[in-house]
Structure formats: structure tokens, C-alpha cells
Amino acid sequence: MAKRIINVPLQGGRFAPNPQFQDALKSAGLDPNAVSQRIQEAVKRYSGFPISKIELEVDESTRNFDVLVRLPPMGDLLLKVLGKDAGPHDAAKETIGDLSMEKVVQMAVAKYPELKSRSLKSAVKQVLSTCKAMGITVGGKPAAEVMREVDGGAYDDMIKKAEEQLAP
């Protein structure tokens, strides 16, 4: 059961099929049109976020494949979402931006496969922790205060609703 990784060409963070990519798919025994359709479906889930890499993981014995979409590291992702080039010089004294709690939960859902969290709630707390380290407020409040609210169950309904997106 050998796995083969095929890198998907991106142009400006968007899927851009080219002849070399289609040749690689054909040599792996895959239909380029079906693969392109699956990639487009996978990318829709990440709309609004910059994509850094897309890979196909192909099982060579069964010709089944998974589309793996990779986002930038959390700090870079937060900066891009806020439209900033760099973080603060001193996160304890500077605030570089504000995010809504809905956006934080969306980011946790998008990054969930990469975060290795046991639950979406802990993934949300990881995003909030990065916000705290970077001087980003959430809903006008310091990220540390929002983390305490998450622990207290203040956002459980929002998180449970977002968990439905994670179900296969």
C-alpha cells in the first residue's frame, strides 16, 4: 500500500492546472477532470483564507486519493487575515488588530487537521493563544480574557455548530 504525493500547482494561492500536472495524474492512473473537481470542492472549504500548498495523496494500489490543503502557519495566517505585513514590536503593549469570535472559530475549523487538537474547543484556544502572543484582540477584548470565557463555556453553542463542519 504505497502512497504517492503529487504537488498541485498554485498560482497566486489559487488552483492552476497545467499540462505537467495533468501528465502526472495520468501517470498515476487518475482522471484529471475528476481530480480537478475534487480539488475545487476541497478549496471551497477554505474560502477567505490564503492557501500555501495543495497535495494529492494517492494510494497507488487502489487509485484512491485524498486532497490535502495546507494553510500558512497560524501567525502568518492571522497577519494575512488582518491585512498586516508584520506583528507588533511588543505584543503586551501594542494591539495590531481585532477579530470576531466567529472568525477565530472559522480559523480553528480550517486549521483543525494541522493543529493536532483533540477537540475543536482546544483548537479555538490554540488560535486564541496565538492571538494573545501577537497582540490581537477578539471582539474588542484581550485574547486571554476570551480564553477564560471559552473555558467557562460562553461560546460552546458556536463551537458545537462549527463542529458539524468537521464531520466527514
Side-chain angles (χ1 to χ4, degrees):
M1 189 163 132
K3 297 265 183 180
R4 178 178 175 187
I5 300 293
I6 300 174
N7 289 316
V8 177
L10 296 176
Q11 191 170 43
R14 304 247 186 263
F15 172 53
N18 59 31
Q20 294 86 4
F21 175 64
Q22 291 183 355
D23 290 343
L25 293 177
K26 288 176 186 174
S27 72
L30 299 173
D31 175 25
N33 292 329
V35 171
S36 293
Q37 188 176 13
R38 285 258 311 265
I39 290 171
Q40 294 293 349
E41 289 171 10
V43 168
K44 283 181 189 176
R45 179 177 179 218
Y46 297 94
S47 65
F49 297 113
I51 296 172
S52 63
K53 187 178 191 180
I54 302 175
E55 296 176 333
L56 290 179
E57 187 178 67
V58 182
D59 183 340
E60 292 185 330
S61 62
T62 63
R63 304 287 185 235
N64 290 331
F65 64 93
D66 292 319
V67 178
L68 308 172
V69 179
R70 305 282 187 221
L71 298 175
M74 187 59 70
D76 294 342
L77 183 61
L78 285 166
L79 288 174
K80 287 180 181 183
V81 167
L82 289 171
K84 303 288 183 180
D85 293 331
H89 296 291
D90 185 2
K93 296 179 183 175
E94 267 183 76
T95 300
I96 63 166
D98 185 60
L99 290 174
S100 67
M101 187 60 183
E102 290 83 14
K103 194 69 168 177
V104 169
V105 173
Q106 286 176 357
M107 292 176 77
V109 167
K111 290 285 285 182
Y112 187 77
E114 298 173 45
L115 292 176
K116 297 184 178 24
S117 296
R118 290 183 180 208
S119 68
L120 184 59
K121 189 172 188 173
S122 62
V124 167
K125 289 172 59 176
Q126 281 183 282
V127 175
L128 289 170
S129 177
T130 307
C131 288
K132 176 184 170 190
M134 295 183 67
I136 299 170
T137 58
V138 178
K141 302 176 201 171
E145 183 179 326
V146 177
M147 283 175 64
R148 286 191 293 274
E149 291 174 356
V150 168
D151 284 335
Y155 299 100
D156 283 352
D157 292 339
M158 184 186 303
I159 292 170
K160 285 202 187 309
K161 184 184 272 186
E163 281 177 340
E164 294 171 5
Q165 296 176 13
L166 294 175

